[in-house]
Amino acid sequence: MAKVVEIPVVWMQGAACTGCVVSLLNSLSPGIARLVLRELVPGKHVSLRFLVTAMAGQGRQVMDVVRDETVKDKGNYILVMEGSVPVGHPAYGTVGEEGGREIPIAEIAGNLARHAAAVVCMGTCSSFGGIPAASPNPTGCVSMGELLAREKITTPVVNIPGCPPHPDWLIGSLLAVAVYGLGPVAGLLDDLKRPKIFYGKLVHETCPRRADFDAARFAKKFGDPGCLYLLGCRGPASYADCPTRMFNSGTNWCIGAGGPCHGCVEPEFPDRFSPLYEKIDDRRMDRFRLLQKPATAPKA
Amino acid sequence: MASPASRSAAKGETILIDPVSRIEGHMRVDVVIDGGQVKDARCSGTLFRGFENILVGRHPLDAVRLTQRVCGVCPMIHGTASATCLDAALGVADKVPPNGRIVRNLLLGSNYLQSHILHFFTLAALDYADVAALADYDGPESDLKAVRAFIDRKDLAPFFPRYEGDYRCNKQTNIDLVRGYVKALTVRRVCHEMISVWGGKMPHDVAMVPGGVTSEITADKIAFTLSRLGEIRDFVE
């Protein structure tokens, strides 16, 4: 049997809700059992070394895993960071204890990032700050990118925002990093370090209700058919393939359930998109010229 | 091993577990033992985000979306609590239409199923099930053969390291538990599909709003839900 190369993954959680882990558990192809037990592609297997939500071990024995990983897999493991990093006070978030001192999340996340091959920011919190960093940001949360900048850590970063992100977005990105390496992958990211294959188009561009928008058929209240523009949809300002990929095994997506897109994949989420159900700033709509009728309408 | 900083004034040896794994969130437990007896035990959540403060001054409707982010395992209960609070505050608690009430209950009930399966299998089961019992499995089941092949590769994360010792089930029971553990990973996902068809996506739905839900009720969604519920019921029974 050919040797299987292990892709070590350390999944650390900061100011998070575990929704990103649960979204990963929702993965359909590969299913999570297949992802954990079998080769992702022939010859490569994801080894989930550290994930508090799922791992068998507890306490010091799993903290030893973290310490060992930064030594024996130095420069080789992928750090998946879920949640933003509270820096307002060390006690706002801690994981484990060393010599009688509780270890702040910022310290452990920084150490892991420094020795990782890459940092994959899973979710909007670690990518951009997200809800824990929302006003008044009670615990001084920062994104992982911000922490790395402060600590002068130069490990490459891939952002997989979403609240939570679609599991395909993470698995596809992990696989690309594992197979192609970081060099080529860096060229596949947008200016916010999101993989363009998943975040390349506006929700508004592929939305099945786009025809309603163009024809000015707008939902006025919840449950109405038509475009959700007046109910606060952030689709015109949000880059993600939700309309075509759909969540939960392709079952549905936000607008499919009559809920406007809240732009959860964007750095503006939630504060600069709040109130969430208020019509989007019209200046953002300038690029959608179809709203304006041509001066001389063609005869039908 | 350095002596952990006990949070208790009780005298004795302190056992510290930090982090406590297979839960949602960050947790530590300090237990003080003296003469073979537990003298004190303290659990602490080791993450503070300040959700209450984040909600102050926001538009009330946003609360149903934001509060779900308290927990990605049980968002629907936070969403339901928030929506029913707003129903009361807006004076529409008695005006939620029957379909709105039923869909809300489906959203919450499906999450309830999801949480229970997640807790029993994905989280708690590894304290009881000995995955190592599959090391010499030679039966026909593909999932269990995959577990054996996984053990043969010798990279055993996330099932090792673990506390060794008190796995008291016999071999057949262990095999049954591991089979259930693997199967539960699929069935838990199906619970979320049941929410998604009404709620848009999971974790964190978009359909629950004051006054009812945003989603339309159609025959195909009812068929979808009954079919998924049947799969879950088959597994539970």
Side-chain angles (χ1 to χ4, degrees):
Chain A
M1 201 166 72
K3 177 118 178 75
V4 174
V5 177
E6 297 290 347
I7 308 165
V9 169
V10 176
W11 184 306
M12 185 55 68
Q13 289 158 308
C17 74
T18 313
C20 295
V21 174
V22 176
S23 192
L24 174 70
L25 293 179
N26 282 340
S27 180
L28 179 65
S29 305
I32 187 67
R34 187 164 276 276
L35 179 76
V36 171
L37 294 174
R38 305 185 198 220
E39 294 163 41
L40 183 54
V41 289
K44 288 189 191 293
H45 173 250
V46 171
S47 177
L48 213 43
R49 297 282 162 80
F50 186 91
L51 171 54
V52 167
T53 314
M55 67 197 306
Q58 307 272 357
R60 174 159 290 267
Q61 64 183 188
V62 302
M63 294 311 290
D64 288 345
V65 170
V66 174
R67 192 197 54 217
D68 292 351
E69 212 53 36
T70 58
V71 178
K72 77 175 161 65
D73 281 319
K74 189 172 180 173
N76 187 38
Y77 64 91
I78 296 173
L79 170 64
V80 175
M81 185 68 194
E82 176 187 1
S84 42
V85 184
V87 298
H89 189 284
Y92 284 148
T94 61
V95 178
E97 190 176 291
E98 189 70 59
R101 187 181 67 94
E102 292 173 74
I103 308 171
I105 285 164
E107 183 179 320
I108 203 163
N111 280 341
L112 278 166
R114 188 172 282 112
H115 303 298
V119 179
V120 174
C121 295
M122 178 65 174
T124 300
C125 299
S126 63
S127 296
F128 307 129
I131 288 176
S135 174
N137 195 351
T139 57
C141 275
V142 297
S143 70
M144 201 54 188
E146 168 74 20
L147 180 80
L148 266 56
R150 288 177 182 211
E151 304 280 326
K152 300 188 170 51
I153 296 166
T154 54
T155 311
V157 170
V158 176
N159 286 331
I160 314 285
C163 195
H166 195 292
D168 292 2
W169 300 344
L170 174 71
I171 293 173
S173 305
L174 277 181
L175 183 58
V177 169
V179 173
Y180 305 128
L182 276 162
V185 168
L188 302 173
L189 306 179
D190 70 7
D191 57 342
L192 295 172
K193 298 182 178 169
R194 303 177 293 195
K196 282 187 269 195
I197 51 166
F198 305 122
Y199 301 89
K201 285 193 167 174
L202 286 168
V203 167
H204 194 57
E205 287 178 281
T206 49
C207 181
R209 298 196 190 195
R210 176 60 191 267
D212 293 317
F213 174 85
D214 291 344
R217 287 190 295 266
F218 297 117
K220 302 273 187 346
K221 59 180 192 328
F222 294 136
D224 282 353
C227 171
L228 300 171
Y229 167 65
L230 297 177
L231 295 175
C233 187
R234 266 51 176 163
S238 303
Y239 287 88
D241 65 6
C242 314
T244 49
R245 188 170 301 277
M246 307 226 285
F247 278 71
N248 305 100
S249 316
T251 300
N252 209 349
W253 70 302
C254 298
I255 291 172
C261 166
H262 297 306
C264 72
V265 293
E266 295 294 329
E268 283 93 339
F269 180 79
D271 278 357
R272 278 172 287 154
F273 278 159
S274 294
L276 295 171
Y277 292 96
E278 214 152 81
K279 185 164 72 73
I280 198 167
D281 183 343
D282 275 339
R283 279 169 301 181
R284 287 180 179 273
M285 303 306 292
D286 286 349
R287 61 182 125 172
F288 303 109
R289 283 298 175 192
L290 269 172
L291 258 186
Q292 300 179 355
K293 292 204 173 71
T296 51
K299 293 266 185 291
Chain B
M1 179 173 152
S3 159
S6 174
R7 293 188 176 180
S8 169
K11 292 219 180 332
E13 186 200 351
T14 299
I15 295 173
L16 164 69
I17 302 175
D18 182 9
V20 175
S21 70
R22 286 176 280 116
I23 56 159
E24 191 291 301
H26 298 260
M27 188 185 182
R28 71 178 263 157
V29 174
D30 298 77
V31 183
V32 180
I33 295 173
D34 191 19
Q37 284 193 325
V38 174
K39 295 294 180 190
D40 197 9
R42 284 167 188 254
C43 299
S44 341
T46 65
L47 174 71
F48 171 69
R49 287 168 295 175
F51 260 86
E52 299 83 353
N53 298 330
I54 290 170
L55 287 169
V56 172
R58 284 180 195 269
H59 194 290
L61 279 184
D62 295 2
V64 190
R65 302 284 82 78
L66 297 193
T67 53
Q68 291 190 52
R69 271 73 177 183
V70 167
C71 173
V73 172
C74 59
M76 283 324 313
I77 191 66
H78 298 283
T80 304
S82 190
T84 47
C85 274
L86 287 168
D87 287 347
L90 300 168
V92 297
D94 56 348
K95 296 188 180 67
V96 176
N99 281 345
R101 178 179 55 78
I102 291 166
V103 173
R104 279 181 172 187
N105 287 344
L106 278 173
L107 292 167
L108 182 56
S110 309
N111 203 151
Y112 211 68
L113 288 171
Q114 186 267 168
S115 280
H116 276 69
I117 294 169
L118 180 88
H119 171 72
F120 186 80
F121 286 102
T122 315
L123 304 186
L126 292 181
D127 286 335
Y128 310 104
D130 183 8
V131 182
L134 277 292
D136 56 358
Y137 178 78
D138 62 356
E141 294 174 57
S142 65
D143 283 344
L144 299 184
K145 284 199 285 192
V147 174
R148 180 183 173 165
F150 171 87
I151 295 171
D152 286 345
R153 280 202 306 272
K154 297 193 165 41
D155 190 317
L156 301 174
F159 304 109
F160 291 83
R162 64 178 190 181
Y163 285 115
E164 295 299 335
D166 197 14
Y167 295 96
R168 59 183 70 181
C169 298
N170 64 33
K171 187 159 188 167
Q172 188 53 48
T173 306
N174 273 315
I175 291 172
D176 293 341
L177 277 168
V178 173
R179 182 192 295 111
Y181 176 89
V182 175
K183 175 77 177 150
L185 291 169
T186 302
V187 180
R188 191 212 55 79
R189 186 190 77 214
V190 169
C191 299
H192 263 186
E193 291 164 10
M194 235 168 86
I195 306 179
S196 180
V197 73
W198 303 105
K201 79 175 196 327
M202 270 305 274
H204 310 320
D205 98 308
V206 295
M208 180 88 69
V209 287
V213 294
T214 62
S215 48
E216 195 185 355
I217 295 182
T218 55
D220 62 313
K221 289 182 191 169
I222 294 170
F224 180 100
T225 303
L226 288 172
S227 159
R228 293 296 192 272
L229 184 61
E231 287 176 49
I232 299 161
R233 183 185 288 268
D234 287 349
F235 172 73
V236 172
E237 286 174 353

